[in-house]
Amino acid sequence: MSFPRRSVGFVGLGTMGEPMAANVARSGQPLTVIDVRSEPMDRLVALGAKPAASLAALAAACDVVLVAVVDEPQLDAVLLGGDGVFANAWPGTVVVVHSTVGPGACLRLEAEAAAHGLLLLDAPITGGPHGAVAGTLSILVGGSEPALDTCRPALEAMSREIFHLGGVGAGQLAKIANNAVLAVTLHAVHEALRLAEGGGLRRQAMLDVLCAGSGDSWVTRNWSAIGATVTGYPGGLEGVAKLTRKDLTLALAAAAEQDLALPFTTLATQGLEQPYRAAANG
């Protein structure tokens, strides 16, 4: 199935957002970008994107708006208020939330979007910065099929797989469940490496064993990439740990709403700096 070309806006050009937007620009789709920093905007303009002078200007110029900011307060600042995206977008515009903010936040924002005649998708991402650069992210979508069809070309430019999981909030639930597995596995791999190294095995040899056996996981196969992410991430070790802990807190809040205990996820919130430090040290 082919879809019409849409004018795409991208808000938030950080560690994930900039390479995602770059892949949209390289696909030839009309792209307008904005960020609080000029440097990533300049790099995207060099790829053919247009810079927006304001959120309002971007919203008025685009029929698909992709948002990749860090947390719920930043998302509210972008979308709400007289100068925000919702108040200035044309009816029928699709707003796509790539931020991991939890199902409740996206359901609240869906209602706000509908009041302005807009459609909202929650579409958090997995695959890390390397996947964002390579265009091989997995995008976990909650929302209507027509809204997804409208923005599918932009999402396909950034991803290897798009999972349509249900209504708004479904993508967020899948993302925080995925990140609970990530965090628990990080701790498990770190403990395995400590055990092996303490007995005289080389770290890389143990990683090779894990990758070849029943201990295989995304974490073992991407241990070096995780370390590179820690090194290059804004805020470094503490920044990455804080981001992961935020996602685990969202997972635990969702579990509490279901009266569900997640003991390993609870444990994984503690000492996240340790596995990240080990990955960064090779």
Side-chain angles (χ1 to χ4, degrees), residues 87-113:
N88 293 281
W90 291 96
T93 296
V94 178
V95 178
V96 182
V97 176
H98 291 303
S99 312
T100 303
V101 293
C106 284
L107 288 168
R108 172 178 61 82
L109 290 168
E110 180 191 27
E112 291 277 357

Side-chain angles (χ1 to χ4, degrees), residues 46 96 148 202 212 215 223 225 236 254 281:
V96 182
L148 176 56
R202 291 185 299 108
W223 191 254
N281 291 336

Side-chain angles (χ1 to χ4, degrees), residues 170-183:
Q172 295 289 327
L173 187 60
K175 173 61 183 293
I176 58 180
N178 178 83
N179 279 15
V181 174
L182 169 67

Side-chain angles (χ1 to χ4, degrees), residues 33-268:
V33 297
I34 192 167
D35 192 78
V36 295
R37 299 163 302 138
S38 62
E39 295 84 0
M41 291 180 64
D42 292 342
R43 289 190 289 268
L44 285 158
V45 167
L47 293 176
K50 295 180 180 179
S54 66
L55 286 169
L58 180 144
C62 301
D63 42 21
V64 170
V65 178
L66 313 178
V67 184
V69 294
V70 173
D71 54 24
E72 188 173 349
Q74 288 188 11
L75 189 60
D76 283 352
V78 166
L79 298 182
L80 305 180
D83 297 327
V85 169
F86 286 173
N88 293 281
W90 291 96
T93 296
V94 178
V95 178
V96 182
V97 176
H98 291 303
S99 312
T100 303
V101 293
C106 284
L107 288 168
R108 172 178 61 82
L109 290 168
E110 180 191 27
E112 291 277 357
H116 289 85
L118 312 176
L119 298 170
L120 185 135
L121 293 178
D122 75 291
I125 50 182
T126 69
H130 287 74
V133 171
T136 58
L137 297 170
S138 293
I139 303 181
L140 316 178
V141 178
S144 73
E145 190 72 45
L148 176 56
D149 286 347
T150 296
C151 63
R152 188 177 289 275
L155 300 186
E156 287 180 342
M158 304 182 295
S159 68
R160 177 172 54 198
E161 293 184 275
I162 298 171
F163 295 91
H164 190 197
L165 299 165
V168 169
Q172 295 289 327
L173 187 60
K175 173 61 183 293
I176 58 180
N178 178 83
N179 279 15
V181 174
L182 169 67
V184 171
T185 309
L186 274 168
H187 283 291
V189 172
H190 179 226
E191 289 188 2
L193 293 177
R194 288 179 61 204
L195 177 64
E197 288 182 296
L201 297 181
R202 291 185 299 108
R203 173 173 298 189
Q204 187 56 55
M206 189 64 223
L207 283 170
D208 292 342
V209 169
L210 291 172
C211 289
S214 59
D216 188 28
S217 67
W218 185 92
V219 171
T220 58
R221 282 177 268 114
N222 289 275
W223 191 254
S224 294
I226 292 168
T229 297
V230 172
T231 302
Y233 195 81
L237 172 67
E238 290 76 15
V240 174
K242 180 180 179 181
L243 187 67
T244 304
R245 195 171 287 111
K246 183 252 310 180
D247 293 353
L248 296 182
T249 300
L250 292 170
L252 292 171
E257 292 179 2
Q258 301 177 40
D259 196 24
L260 179 66
L262 300 179
F264 288 102
T265 302
T266 301
L267 285 172

